Amino acid sequence: MTEPEPLLSVRHLTTLFEVNRKTYACALEDVSFDVYPYQTVGLVGESGCGKSTTLLSILRLLPPNARLSGQVFFKGVDLLSLSEQQMRAYRWKELALIFQSAMNALNPVLRVDEQILEAILLHRLMPREQARQRVHELLDLVGIAPQRGRQYPFQFSGGMRQRAMIAMALACSPSLLFADEPTTALDVMIQAQVLELLKDIQKKLGLAIVLVTHDLGVVAELCDQVVVLYGGKVVESGSVDQIYNSPQHPYTQKLLESFPDLHHPSSTLASIPGTPPRLTELPPGCRFEPRCFARFDRCRHEAPPLRQVAEKHYAACHLLEGKSPNAGSI
């Protein structure tokens, strides 16, 4: 049985921001991963490691000083080769984004249903009356009474605003949904409801999801595959089982140690000393080297390639050289 083609294939994606004529900030470098139909892929890492920038680069929603290179294939089409007008046909209709902060993403002076309606009419998918019926269906799908759609965002709770953002993202029936920290600033009970909603919607509509989060519990709950980012580079990628049960990169290991373990509640949580590197002052070798407990001299001068350590499991660390019989680089 042949494996299906990826719905989204990111290859060697690099994103630079021009600070001035001589200085560039490297937000992403050589990022590669695949998303298959009906799959959920989690992008994990500390704040400032490039997770949200990855989504915005794929959707080409970056400021004018951004410089993109690499390839982003969606259903065989390289999105980075399209004109802005051509790219607009893909946003919302094929690729939709749930923004990080629903209160900031929703227009405070427009009723919620009008904002969802606007997304449908902008892509001319159906007549206005039919589109209004579609809005009612979407609100009902995410657990909001359709009559509440006539209210303004400030009249919604945080959880309802997040549900409204999900309804808006689904307005044009996309095949790939990007979710940027969808549970940020929500209490634990509401977080669980939003995550359960995403799982139900994925089953009903057959969506693929790319989820940005720093919450490893959310990853364990929702994701099939995990991509760990640090300093704008992929340091490890693999299935959820591989990442959680056999983490190979020191950064991934420390991330997992910093998360509470229900099976060992008395164990001390680990911390990672220092902070992620500044984008204009990146280390010449491994980007995690200044904070790594296992570093040695080679790490300071030579960036490790992403090596295969098991089937569909890759990690970028010099310690892994020669350890796997399937070792190779991508």
Side-chain angles (χ1 to χ4, degrees):
M1 184 175 177
T2 59
E3 190 175 37
E5 289 294 314
L7 184 65
L8 179 76
S9 186
V10 178
R11 287 291 173 268
H12 311 296
L13 178 62
T14 297
T15 303
L16 304 175
F17 291 97
E18 186 177 359
V19 180
N20 53 52
R21 290 183 178 179
K22 295 183 179 180
T23 307
Y24 285 87
C26 183
L28 296 177
E29 183 180 338
D30 200 28
V31 171
S32 298
F33 63 91
D34 292 325
V35 182
Y36 288 87
Y38 315 112
Q39 188 180 62
T40 300
V41 175
L43 302 185
V44 179
E46 295 169 276
S47 296
C49 286
K51 305 185 301 296
S52 297
T53 302
T54 300
L55 299 192
L56 296 176
S57 297
I58 293 170
L59 290 166
R60 291 174 50 187
L61 292 173
L62 295 169
N65 67 327
R67 304 290 181 267
L68 288 174
S69 62
Q71 295 173 308
V72 177
F73 292 103
F74 176 74
K75 295 183 177 179
V77 176
D78 184 5
L79 300 180
L80 300 191
S81 69
L82 302 179
S83 66
E84 175 58 26
Q85 185 175 0
Q86 290 171 322
M87 188 64 202
R88 285 176 186 167
Y90 282 87
R91 296 191 196 111
W92 293 104
K93 197 171 182 181
E94 291 278 8
L95 308 162
L97 173 62
I98 302 171
F99 290 95
Q100 184 169 357
S101 174
M103 191 60 200
N104 295 332
L106 292 168
N107 190 326
V109 299
L110 285 180
R111 300 180 195 274
V112 170
D113 60 357
E114 291 295 331
Q115 298 186 53
I116 302 172
L117 180 69
E118 182 181 27
I120 299 172
L121 295 178
L122 184 64
H123 289 276
R124 301 173 184 172
L125 297 180
M126 57 189 71
R128 180 175 288 270
E129 285 309 310
Q130 191 177 346
R132 286 195 179 278
Q133 181 58 37
R134 169 71 173 158
V135 172
H136 290 170
E137 293 170 359
L138 287 166
L139 290 172
D140 186 60
L141 178 66
V142 299
I144 298 176
Q147 61 268 26
R148 295 290 302 271
R150 297 304 296 159
Q151 294 181 325
Y152 293 92
F154 74 86
Q155 296 174 290
F156 279 23
S157 66
M160 287 184 66
R161 285 195 292 266
Q162 198 63 59
R163 288 170 181 267
M165 276 300 307
I166 295 171
M168 189 181 300
L170 298 174
C172 300
S173 302
S175 51
L176 179 56
L177 185 64
F178 296 102
D180 189 0
E181 302 271 14
T183 58
T184 297
L186 301 178
D187 64 56
V188 176
M189 291 299 294
I190 302 302
Q191 284 185 26
Q193 291 174 14
V194 170
L195 293 177
E196 195 62 35
L197 174 64
L198 284 174
K199 286 168 62 176
D200 289 344
I201 287 173
Q202 184 177 33
K203 288 179 182 177
K204 288 178 182 176
L205 305 181
L207 294 171
I209 297 176
V210 177
L211 174 71
V212 161
T213 183
H214 60 269
D215 189 331
L216 297 174
V218 171
V219 173
E221 178 74 17
L222 281 184
C223 297
D224 305 301
Q225 295 288 124
V226 183
V227 178
V228 183
L229 292 167
Y230 183 81
K233 297 189 76 171
V234 176
V235 296
E236 189 163 359
S237 65
S239 69
V240 168
D241 286 342
Q242 289 170 330
I243 297 298
Y244 276 73
N245 297 322
S246 182
Q248 298 296 307
H249 195 280
Y251 179 62
T252 310
Q253 293 167 6
K254 284 298 180 183
L255 278 182
L256 291 169
E257 289 174 14
S258 67
F259 193 74
D261 186 350
L262 294 178
H263 299 291
H264 302 90
S266 60
S267 60
T268 303
L269 297 182
S271 63
I272 307 175
T275 58
R278 296 184 60 173
L279 300 182
T280 53
E281 300 174 3
L282 295 170
C286 175
R287 295 190 178 171
F288 187 57
E289 181 272 332
R291 308 172 69 191
C292 184
F293 63 89
R295 65 182 181 268
F296 55 100
D297 189 61
R298 184 182 177 187
C299 305
R300 188 177 297 111
H301 307 292
E302 183 183 340
L306 205 57
R307 304 177 188 278
Q308 184 176 354
V309 295
E311 186 179 359
K312 297 185 178 180
H313 187 185
Y314 298 88
C317 182
H318 290 305
L319 293 172
L320 301 173
E321 187 173 11
K323 280 195 173 184
S324 170
N326 299 321
S329 61
I330 62 171

